[in-house]
Amino acid sequence: MAMSFLKPHCTHRLPSSSSSILNSPFPTISPTKSLSANGSSFSTRIPNHFRALPISSTPTKPFSFKAFSSQISASAPKPDEMPARVGFLGLGIMGSPMAQNLIKAGCDVTVWNRTESKCSPLISLGAKYKSSPKEVAASCDVTFAMLADPQSALDVACGEHGAAKGMSPGKGYVDVSTVDGATSKLIGTRIKATGALFLEAPVSGSKKPAEDGQLIFLTAGDRSLFETVAPLLDVMGKSRFFLGDVGNGAAMKLVVNMIMGSMMASFSEGLLLSESVGLDPKVLVEVVSQGAISAPMFSMKGPSMVQSLYPTAFPLKHQQKDLRLALGLAESVSQPTPIAAAANELYKVAKSRGLSDEDFSAVIEALKVKLQSQSKE
Ligand SMILES: NC(=O)C1=CN([C@@H]2O[C@H](COP(=O)(O)OP(=O)(O)OC[C@H]3O[C@@H](n4cnc5c(N)ncnc54)[C@H](OP(=O)(O)O)[C@@H]3O)[C@@H](O)[C@H]2O)C=CC1
Ligand SMILES: O=CCCC(=O)O
């Protein structure tokens, strides 16, 4: 089905030469981004055993985890192909900077957030406001949603004044929240019942990449909507993967965050153990940064963790939600994930200690209790 909303309303101009890149006020679209948007370089990163198995090989599953391919457009987005009117629902840590980048790129953006006051900074930048997801969807060609969890994503998409009520043929709905595949599929079904198109597009990357337009989109669903919103994804992100059927984007995101949650729990144990045996944890952070287990996450979060500071980029409650959803995903295919299960318990302890809204690196606090027998020695 052809999308009917390709209009030159987004005024952002892509750099066509190095000098125009230097003059661009927006760091989000750069030669690096154009180069990274090269299909072959991305596809070589996908192991062969993940490639396009037939959907019919998993007939009893609620959705196929296996039938997908990785795609990224090699072509630069064309401003005259930007969707004309863009809605944005959910203006939290991630949604606000993402919407802001769209506005700064010249898009005609209409916002809604449950807590209305969070719309004000975006309205100051030029956004329009509507008082319900339904009204946003009705007034826009494509609507993005960045909500906290499966329940809020469902409520905003399918509730009484939800976006689905404002959808119709020719429109598109792009859910960038991190949810499970079943929720995403339910939302997709409701949206598509209106004749609109649906794309799930959870993101890898946190607050700073969102601010810098450096997110990684893990999309699945309607391929034509993926193509249509590609210029918008490229304003907000540095790369985009198209993974096939709805559910595959959610699954990829949950696997990534399952790994991340376990890594952070393990790193926390290492920091505390180093201190307990008389080492300087700051030196551990430095040693780790130079070796094979170096990760940007450790280098970025380690120094503040050593000071017991957890400025929130990715709320701990969301990391625990993602571990919970990843464990459900693993269970659905009988895949053992004992490390992630143990990590999940740690995040649950951290939540019970009031750390839900701290950064997920605050999980280290759940380990700051010496075992009884050890403290007596
Ligand atoms: N922060 C991060 O680093 C990343 C987060 N994510 C994922 O992105 C999503 C958003 O994350 P983030 O921005 O950090 O989260 P926030 O908690 O900052 O924002 C959550 C958003 O959801 C809204 N919301 C929550 N409950 C409801 C509800 N019942 N009805 C309507 N709206 C609701 C909030 O509205 P209100 O303002 O009224 O509370 C807010 O707009 C999550 O799924 C998260 O897992 C993905 C990648 C990175
Ligand atoms: O879902 C949150 C992911 C955070 C990150 O990728 O840094």
Side-chain angles (χ1 to χ4, degrees), residues 39 57 74 125 140 143 149 156 159 198 209 220 223 273 299 348-349 357 362:
S57 67
L125 289 172
C140 292
T143 299
D149 51 25
V156 168
F198 176 72
R223 176 77 199 213
L273 178 58
S299 298
K348 283 162 65 180
V349 171
D357 294 320

Side-chain angles (χ1 to χ4, degrees), residues 1 167-171 190-197:
M1 175 186 169
M167 285 284 159
S168 56
K171 293 179 185 284
R190 295 288 291 274
I191 295 293
K192 287 176 74 73
T194 70
L197 299 180

Side-chain angles (χ1 to χ4, degrees), residues 36-37 92 102 141 144 175 181 199 237 247 253 283 297 323 325:
S36 71
L102 291 172
D141 301 301
F144 286 84
D175 197 330
L199 192 71
K253 172 63 185 168
V283 177
M297 180 175 86
L323 278 164
L325 297 176

Side-chain angles (χ1 to χ4, degrees), residues 125-157:
L125 289 172
K128 295 168 185 158
Y129 171 77
K130 294 283 180 188
S131 61
S132 71
K134 174 186 170 181
E135 287 182 58
V136 172
S139 67
C140 292
D141 301 301
V142 62
T143 299
F144 286 84
M146 185 44 131
L147 286 318
D149 51 25
Q151 191 58 55
S152 54
L154 261 177
D155 289 349
V156 168

Side-chain angles (χ1 to χ4, degrees), residues 267 281-300:
F267 184 55
K282 289 198 280 299
V283 177
L284 174 71
V285 173
E286 178 65 21
V287 171
V288 166
S289 77
Q290 293 189 26
I293 62 164
S294 160
M297 180 175 86
F298 298 150
S299 298
M300 283 186 298

Side-chain angles (χ1 to χ4, degrees), residues 1-19:
M1 175 186 169
M3 300 295 289
S4 63
F5 48 76
L6 300 179
K7 298 252 173 59
H9 283 232
C10 287
T11 55
H12 179 60
R13 289 290 176 270
L14 289 171
S16 57
S17 68
S18 56
S19 62

